């Protein structure tokens, strides 16, 4: 493998300018979240000013802001509900290894039911089980301070940062131009077709269905332009 291939970005459509913006966003997001939460007397209760899962949340919010996993409710609800699950499991199951596994598995279930699936939520649930004595003593309050406050602060900073940098967050699928809508009609591509294709794959994909439909239709326009059968207008 050529050495330069090692440094290719792994996300489809990712570009280096966007990655550098994401780095700046994560830097500001984590720094400002810590500053905002530092005024609270958390250290006196042996609680961290910021929880480790928030670092993973920052990756999603700033590096892939279009992801369904990175949306505000996913961040706040996913981290908060998962922490509550972790605390409940810790209090119910005395064996740490079993409690850790049950907490993460139950957190996935709760997040899925609440439509706020967020990978760092698994870490938040695990933290509630294997964390310090201060975390255990805080009980369900740990989901509010610092986890809830951290999550809300990060989302608020993310919204402001993406507006300043011209990105849409919370993400809303872009409206398809008339040429794209016409191509979708011509191709006969319906939402039901996309649902059927997703069902065939037996996989979950980190993209909104509306974004997926727009992507497929734009790809068809480019294919028509390449074959000389369309204008390929963007």
């Amino acid at each position: 493998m050529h050495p330069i291939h090692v440094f290719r970005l792994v996300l489809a459509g990712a570009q280096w300018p966007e990655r550098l913006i994401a780095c700046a966003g994560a830097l500001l997001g984590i720094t400002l979240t810590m500053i905002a939460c530092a005024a609270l007397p958390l250290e006196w209760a042996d609680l961290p000013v910021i929880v480790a899962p928030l670092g993973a949340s920052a990756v999603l919010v700033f590096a892939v802001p279009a992801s369904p996993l990175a949306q505000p409710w996913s961040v706040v609800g996913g981290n908060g509900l998962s922490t509550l699950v972790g605390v409940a499991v810790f209090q119910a199951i005395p064996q740490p290894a079993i409690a850790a596994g049950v907490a993460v598995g139950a957190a996935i279930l709760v997040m899925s039911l609440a439509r706020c699936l967020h990978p760092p939520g698994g870490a938040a649930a695990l933290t509630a089980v294997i964390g310090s004595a201060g975390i255990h003593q805080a009980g369900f309050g740990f989901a509010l301070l610092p986890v809830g406050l951290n999550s809300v602060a990060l989302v608020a900073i993310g919204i402001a940062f993406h507006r300043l940098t011209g990105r849409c967050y919370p993400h809303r699928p872009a409206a398809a131009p008339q040429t794209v809508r016409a191509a979708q009609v011509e191709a006969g591509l319906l939402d039901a077709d996309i649902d059927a294709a997703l069902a065939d794959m037996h996989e979950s994909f980190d993209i909104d269905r509306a974004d997926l439909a727009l992507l497929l239709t734009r790809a068809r326009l480019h294919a028509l332009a390449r074959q000389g059968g369309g204008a390929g207008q963007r």
Side-chain angles (χ1 to χ4, degrees), residues 40 42 47-48 138 140-149:
L40 298 173
L42 296 172
L47 291 173
F140 292 105
F142 179 60
L144 178 62
L145 293 175
V147 176
L149 181 61

Side-chain angles (χ1 to χ4, degrees), residues 70-84:
Q71 300 314 297
W73 170 236
S74 294
V75 178
V76 177
N79 285 334
L81 291 177
S82 295
T83 303
L84 292 174

Side-chain angles (χ1 to χ4, degrees), residues 204-226:
S204 297
F205 297 93
D206 188 12
I207 183 172
D208 187 274
R209 190 183 66 178
D211 289 327
L212 179 58
L214 183 59
L215 175 64
L216 292 174
T217 307
R218 284 188 177 275
R220 176 173 171 76
L221 281 174
H222 284 288
L224 289 172
R226 175 173 47 81

Side-chain angles (χ1 to χ4, degrees), residues 9-108:
L9 297 172
V10 296
L11 290 176
Q15 302 293 331
W16 275 112
E18 290 293 312
R19 296 303 86 178
L20 295 177
I21 291 174
C23 293
L27 186 157
L28 288 173
I30 293 298
T31 300
L32 293 179
T33 297
M34 288 195 69
I35 291 174
C37 298
L40 298 173
L42 296 172
E43 293 181 345
W44 299 350
D46 191 26
L47 291 173
V49 172
I50 191 170
V51 291
L54 213 70
S57 295
V59 174
L60 289 167
V61 169
F62 295 102
V64 283
S67 168
L69 307 178
Q71 300 314 297
W73 170 236
S74 294
V75 178
V76 177
N79 285 334
L81 291 177
S82 295
T83 303
L84 292 174
V85 168
V87 172
V89 170
F90 172 78
Q91 295 179 356
I93 301 176
Q95 216 291 330
I98 297 176
V102 171
V104 175
I108 293 174

